[in-house]
Amino acid sequence: MSFLSSILGDPNARFLDKLKPLGAKINELEKDFSLFGADEFKTKTGELKERFLKGETLDGFLPDGFALVREAAKKTLGQRHFDVQLLGGIVIHQGKIAEMKTGEGKTLVATLPAYLNAIAGKGVHIVTVNDYLARRDAVWMGQIYDILGLKVGCIGHDTSFIYDSSHTEAKTDETRDAKGSFKVLHEFLKPCSRKDAYGADITYGTNNEFGFDYLRDNIAYSPEQMVQRGHNFAIVDEVDSILIDEARTPLIISAPDAESGELYRTFSRAVQILEKERDYKVDEKLRAATLTEEGIERAEKILGLKNLYAEGGVKYVHHLEQALRAKALYQRDKDYVVKNGEVIIVDEFTGRMMPGRRWSEGLHQAVEAKEGVQVQKESRTVASITFQNYFRLYAKLSGMTGTAVTSAEEFHKVYNLEVAVIPTNKPLLRADLPDKIFRNEEGKWRAVINEIKERHEKGQPVLVGTVSIEKNEILSELLNREGIKNKVLNAKNHEAEAETIAQAGKPGAVTVATNMAGRGVDIVLGGNPSLPEEPEQVRKAGGLFVLGTERHEARRIDNQLRGRSGRQGDPGATQFFVSFDDDLLRIFSSERIKGMMQTLGIPDDQPIETKMVSRALESAQAKVEGFNFDARKHLLEYDDVMNKHRASVYRRRQGILFAENDEVISRTGEIFAGEEDKENFLKKAGDAGREKIAPALKTLWLRAIDHFWIEHLEIMEYMRSSVRLRAYGQRDPLVEYKNEAGRLFHELEDAIEGHVADIALKIGPEAPKTEKLALEAVHPQAGLPAQAGAPLAPQAQNKAFQGVGRNAPCPCGSGKKFKRCHGG
């Protein structure tokens, strides 16, 4: 406790004390609401909706709403919200983050604010980390919402569903009952359109699906193709994982471009011959690889080039750099896995596979070439957004997780979110033991095996956390050699995650997991409901023992692993075994401590416990966390510029998409600089019967916006890379970026309007046919929105230049006006 806290008291405790009277009001209503029959729940929901429509705020009837949800949970699931869960629900409703320990029932907590905010009729999104949890929670909690008269939707990667209690043909799924064991329930999830799933009062889904649907909505060519209905309120489960760990990963919708697989393979073969230190240097702190002078000469010799920069230009340099990054920095079974001939990214924080996600700027293709799988076509970005900016679209944002306090500063600065720590329902009995530090990795593994063996033999379940799939499999093999049965949980076999985690609390069970470690699923002591004596047997053995084999660069990830043990007052213990060969200590600690251990003659598998090393570990983690925070903040400063452009372009696009016929014609008329052109256009529009011309104009506008927006995304990406060099001239790259961005955005607006003005005059009464010809004259792939940025074929250029206005954008795609390019 800090000096100020000792005088002023704990601010978190003071905040929670202010909420307790609300909790008391909810409890007072229990005696009346407990008498409700099934139909009365729906009637009460109708009354609350009426009160809201008459002007009463959600805060005004929060006690009624929460009390009603609690009774619905008791009736349907046999579960009653604890008082601390009510506090968590209030915190989430207020648009804050509730930090709640593992096993405290966050899934049930979310039903309180979700129901209350759904009363407003604008939709509530509940965001989970994977499809399995989205479906599980939609079924499990759907029973509560259903009796309350609310509709529940679930968006999945392939199929969307609506909760329907009368739907009996669905597959079965395993879902927990009140005691935490598994039981089989009908899913009650009826397949539906994505739009219907979003039309529900409450919609479950993953962060990826919500984000991609937003992007897809903004490249739609008719209102019917759009699925989302705004961004009212989001509750983000595992909020630290989604809003911080994945913040730097942009969501990208792309379209195929030119084929260049052979180039990637050529450069990949070349860099495999290069040697570390002599030909290239690696900075592990910055995750950067740079060629030495000798390395460049050697690469030129291998590639048969006299001068890489002169003969190949930027293209060859780019290919060489990406091939080197793929070789030196990206490791199989750590950063990615190869499955069914595809390179699939593995999330560094959760250990989960991320199918469909690709590294940008040719890096993914470079890794594919390195692994000898088919190199996919390069692509052009059609639409993109970071999770940081997607979730800032919501009018109200909140979240829940077991670990948020260590990142409270980032949550506040980036998302304006406050963190409140909710006390546990029962006292936490878990013992977090001090780290054991070993001289090298070999000694650490021997000690890990001995520790597991000892605890396994006395019937204590052990969950072992590793930082990569590779280490995960090494440890499993070592255990097998010792005759210790174990279950492996990593990105390669994540389909069995729920079942594996469910059995991890059985007596003597040994589970070896990557960082995913069943996040979102509780580990219940015993694990088999048919053997009621098992939980007590495990408690006597000390509860679940969690053994971390390496410290992660973020303290939150370590705390998440610890949080698997000690749920709801269960006994348990956690401990980390670390060595000086681990990445964190190897990169950030001094050689002095390792040398001291060697000098003292400490055996490899004998640990030391010293404050000096503990401080070194904490210091290393703090450094990396600070570095990553700065990197995310830096990214956001640049992305904020693009975000303003994106918001403006999407606003304009939707304005056109939803415009009536007269409005489209009126907007088009406003962009003509000369009165004569404007009069000619309006006369032509009048002569036609607007019903034919307006749809053609709408399509013209949308395609023009998409075409030039795609080019703008590329130009901005190149510009962002180039402004970094201006730092050498004592100029601030961010200031330069903002200045250049402003100029480029004005050019984008001019280009869109110039293009539309030029083509609009060519559209006649036979609108559809004329529009198609006019569009193809400027852009031969105009009929393919997703690929609207492809360069013109040489044979099409002469035809394309005919009739192009001098101030219109040049059809060649340079971004310049025609008079300053091919028309000059």
Side-chain angles (χ1 to χ4, degrees):
M1 185 181 284
S2 69
F3 173 70
L4 277 175
S5 293
S6 63
I7 296 172
L8 302 174
D10 181 1
N12 187 74
R14 288 204 310 274
F15 169 72
L16 294 180
D17 282 341
K18 290 179 182 175
L19 302 184
K20 285 178 180 174
L22 267 177
K25 285 184 182 177
I26 298 165
N27 288 334
E28 284 171 17
L29 293 167
E30 187 168 15
K31 59 181 182 294
D32 295 326
F33 285 18
S34 63
L35 303 174
F36 279 12
D39 292 338
E40 288 172 281
F41 284 101
K42 292 181 176 66
T43 303
K44 189 67 178 175
T45 295
E47 288 175 16
L48 294 183
K49 287 183 177 180
E50 281 294 318
R51 286 167 66 178
F52 179 77
L53 291 172
K54 288 177 179 176
E56 191 171 348
T57 65
L58 297 179
D59 289 341
F61 49 77
L62 182 148
D64 298 71
F66 277 34
L68 199 61
V69 174
R70 180 153 73 180
E71 288 309 312
K74 284 159 64 177
K75 282 273 193 298
T76 56
L77 304 180
Q79 295 184 350
R80 180 185 181 276
H81 294 78
F82 306 130
D83 286 355
V84 290
Q85 289 178 309
L86 298 180
L87 291 178
I90 296 167
V91 165
I92 292 169
H93 165 68
Q94 291 179 345
K96 295 181 173 69
I97 292 172
E99 178 176 292
M100 302 182 72
K101 300 301 177 197
T102 299
E104 291 298 305
K106 291 188 286 291
T107 305
L108 190 62
V109 168
T111 58
L112 299 161
Y115 169 78
L116 184 66
N117 284 267
I119 294 295
K122 295 180 180 177
V124 173
H125 294 170
I126 301 183
V127 187
T128 65
V129 292
N130 62 47
D131 274 344
Y132 167 78
L133 291 176
R135 273 179 36 249
R136 183 202 72 174
D137 294 353
V139 175
W140 193 11
M141 300 298 113
Q143 299 166 82
I144 297 173
Y145 302 124
D146 187 57
I147 198 173
L148 288 165
L150 295 185
K151 285 188 177 179
V152 178
C154 176
I155 53 166
H157 183 62
D158 300 313
T159 314
S160 296
F161 303 94
I162 206 87
Y163 182 90
D164 183 353
S165 55
S166 66
H167 185 63
T168 57
E169 296 177 5
K171 292 176 284 185
T172 57
D173 194 9
E174 288 183 326
T175 307
R176 284 185 196 279
D177 66 12
K179 294 180 181 176
S181 58
F182 276 82
K183 64 177 180 179
V184 176
L185 283 177
H186 281 292
E187 281 194 348
F188 298 130
L189 291 181
K190 186 177 181 180
C192 69
S193 71
R194 224 165 172 80
K195 195 164 192 168
D196 284 344
Y198 276 111
D201 299 293
I202 296 160
T203 306
Y204 285 86
T206 65
N207 47 322
N208 282 342
E209 297 306 317
F210 284 118
F212 277 125
D213 282 341
Y214 168 73
L215 293 178
R216 283 189 282 261
D217 276 359
N218 282 287
I219 55 173
Y221 271 69
S222 73
E224 291 72 34
Q225 292 174 343
M226 297 179 73
V227 295
Q228 290 188 342
R229 55 174 179 134
H231 298 86
N232 173 46
F233 178 42
I235 301 172
V236 184
D237 193 9
E238 307 296 358
V239 67
D240 55 322
S241 175
I242 291 172
L243 295 192
I244 292 182
D245 297 339
E246 295 194 52
R248 279 186 288 179
T249 308
L251 292 170
I252 297 172
I253 290 180
S254 54
D257 200 8
E259 174 71 78
S260 55
E262 194 49 49
L263 267 179
Y264 283 108
R265 285 187 282 270
T266 299
F267 280 89
S268 182
R269 287 192 292 268
V271 298
Q272 296 312 313
I273 302 168
L274 301 183
E275 296 174 20
K276 191 176 177 182
E277 297 304 327
R278 187 186 74 172
D279 298 321
Y280 63 91
K281 304 281 186 187
V282 175
D283 187 327
E284 292 188 85
K285 289 184 187 179
L286 298 175
R287 273 184 73 80
T290 51
L291 286 161
T292 61
E293 286 295 326
E294 191 175 350
I296 293 169
E297 289 176 11
R298 200 169 183 206
E300 287 172 337
K301 191 174 180 182
I302 295 164
L303 293 165
L305 300 170
K306 289 183 180 177
N307 187 318
L308 176 74
Y309 296 88
E311 293 178 57
V314 176
K315 187 175 184 180
Y316 279 13
V317 174
H318 176 74
H319 276 281
L320 183 61
E321 287 176 345
Q322 296 297 54
L324 182 62
R325 286 182 70 203
K327 169 188 165 75
L329 300 173
Y330 289 79
Q331 297 176 36
R332 184 171 179 164
D333 289 344
K334 181 181 179 185
D335 302 292
Y336 62 91
V337 295
V338 177
K339 188 174 181 182
N340 301 326
E342 282 186 70
V343 169
I344 302 174
I345 297 173
V346 171
D347 185 277
E348 63 175 309
F349 296 99
T350 65
R352 298 183 193 278
M353 284 195 295
M354 305 169 80
R357 193 75 78 76
R358 291 178 67 82
W359 289 301
S360 58
E361 298 178 18
L363 175 61
H364 209 98
Q365 286 88 344
V367 174
E368 288 169 332
K370 166 189 161 184
E371 292 294 340
V373 301
Q374 183 180 349
V375 177
Q376 302 296 323
K377 286 185 178 181
E378 284 196 69
S379 56
R380 300 188 77 188
T381 299
V382 174
S384 73
I385 194 169
T386 60
F387 284 125
Q388 285 171 322
N389 278 317
Y390 173 71
F391 282 105
R392 294 198 302 177
L393 291 170
Y394 284 88
K396 184 162 76 172
L397 178 65
S398 64
M400 48 192 184
T401 181
T403 47
V405 168
T406 53
S407 300
E409 181 188 2
E410 185 165 355
F411 280 125
H412 177 66
K413 287 186 174 176
V414 175
Y415 302 100
N416 198 27
L417 285 171
E418 302 296 332
V419 176
V421 182
I422 309 300
T424 55
N425 181 47
K426 294 179 180 178
L428 186 66
L429 301 180
R430 187 185 72 225
D432 294 329
L433 305 172
D435 294 354
K436 287 187 175 181
I437 298 106
F438 299 86
R439 204 169 87 190
N440 56 39
E441 190 172 51
E442 188 181 343
K444 179 183 76 173
W445 286 130
R446 286 204 298 272
V448 165
I449 297 295
N450 290 336
E451 185 78 25
I452 294 170
K453 195 172 188 178
E454 184 182 319
R455 293 181 182 271
H456 170 69
E457 285 172 354
K458 71 173 187 176
Q460 185 174 18
V462 180
L463 173 68
V464 191
T466 63
V467 296
S468 69
I469 297 168
E470 181 190 20
K471 299 278 175 73
N472 186 266
E473 292 175 343
I474 287 171
L475 180 57
S476 179
E477 180 56 34
L478 291 173
L479 288 167
N480 288 333
R481 286 180 196 171
E482 292 290 325
I484 302 171
K485 287 185 178 179
N486 61 91
K487 287 279 183 75
V488 176
L489 177 60
N490 61 37
K492 288 183 175 177
N493 57 4
H494 69 99
E495 291 88 354
E497 177 181 348
E499 186 184 344
T500 303
I501 282 296
Q503 301 304 315
K506 286 178 69 66
V510 177
T511 309
V512 184
T514 47
N515 288 330
M516 69 202 309
R519 195 167 180 167
V521 182
D522 288 342
I523 297 175
V524 182
L525 299 189
N528 190 343
S530 64
L531 297 172
E533 70 279 3
E534 279 194 355
E536 193 52 41
Q537 187 183 337
V538 173
R539 286 189 183 92
K540 284 180 180 176
L544 179 69
F545 180 69
V546 171
L547 195 161
T549 59
E550 211 166 310
R551 281 283 194 171
H552 196 274
E553 60 184 36
R555 287 169 293 175
R556 285 180 300 98
I557 309 299
D558 291 343
N559 291 338
Q560 275 287 345
L561 184 61
R562 285 195 197 277
R564 301 293 103 198
S565 174
R567 63 179 294 281
Q568 284 295 324
D570 285 338
T574 69
Q575 192 165 34
F576 281 87
F577 284 40
V578 298
S579 83
F580 284 94
D581 290 338
D582 296 350
D583 288 346
L584 194 69
L585 278 174
R586 182 174 55 79
I587 297 169
F588 290 96
S589 73
S590 68
E591 287 290 323
R592 187 165 58 88
I593 305 170
K594 189 176 181 180
M596 180 185 72
M597 290 181 76
Q598 201 160 355
T599 305
L600 292 172
I602 297 172
D604 290 352
D605 59 353
Q606 183 179 325
I608 63 162
E609 293 178 23
T610 165
K611 288 184 179 177
M612 186 192 299
V613 179
S614 296
R615 281 198 299 269
L617 269 169
E618 288 169 13
S619 172
Q621 286 182 309
K623 279 179 189 172
V624 180
E625 284 174 358
F627 177 79
N628 288 338
F629 179 21
D630 288 342
R632 287 188 291 266
K633 193 177 171 189
H634 184 66
L635 172 77
L636 189 61
E637 286 173 334
Y638 280 90
D639 198 51
D640 273 345
V641 177
M642 272 306 297
N643 200 45
K644 288 174 184 171
H645 293 190
R646 184 188 301 109
S648 179
V649 167
Y650 285 177
R651 208 165 33 241
R652 185 173 200 173
R653 198 183 187 284
Q654 289 205 21
I656 295 291
L657 193 63
F658 288 94
E660 298 293 336
N661 287 349
D662 286 348
E663 193 181 349
V664 173
I665 289 168
S666 175
R667 285 190 187 201
T668 309
E670 288 168 6
I671 65 173
F672 289 100
E675 281 300 316
E676 187 180 342
D677 285 346
K678 184 175 182 178
E679 286 174 17
N680 286 340
F681 168 74
L682 292 174
K683 184 173 182 294
K684 188 179 288 186
D687 291 346
R690 294 163 179 250
E691 286 72 20
K692 287 186 176 180
I693 281 191
L697 286 173
K698 186 177 281 195
T699 305
L700 173 61
W701 269 107
L702 295 174
R703 285 178 173 161
I705 290 169
D706 289 348
H707 171 62
F708 290 107
W709 175 241
I710 291 167
E711 291 198 339
H712 184 71
L713 288 172
E714 289 183 352
I715 293 167
M716 289 289 284
E717 187 60 40
Y718 289 135
M719 194 261 288
R720 183 168 163 180
S721 302
S722 67
V723 292
R724 293 175 194 152
L725 301 173
R726 301 188 192 183
Y728 294 109
Q730 305 303 309
R731 290 156 129 187
D732 184 336
L734 182 60
V735 172
E736 294 289 306
Y737 180 77
K738 286 178 177 177
N739 291 339
E740 290 285 328
R743 179 183 62 79
L744 287 169
F745 188 69
H746 287 307
E747 287 187 7
L748 166 70
E749 292 183 310
D750 290 344
I752 292 168
E753 291 186 358
H755 175 78
V756 172
D758 190 59
I759 302 299
L761 286 171
K762 297 180 174 67
I763 295 179
E766 65 283 12
K769 183 181 177 184
T770 313
E771 176 237 7
K772 188 173 185 297
L773 291 172
L775 281 169
E776 286 178 348
V778 176
H779 187 7
Q781 292 193 26
L784 304 173
Q787 301 180 21
L792 286 168
Q795 65 269 26
Q797 288 186 6
N798 291 336
K799 179 187 174 187
F801 294 144
Q802 293 172 10
V804 178
R806 284 179 54 72
N807 288 316
C810 187
C812 74
S814 66
K816 298 177 183 177
K817 290 187 176 181
F818 183 57
K819 66 183 179 184
R820 292 179 185 160
C821 194
H822 283 82

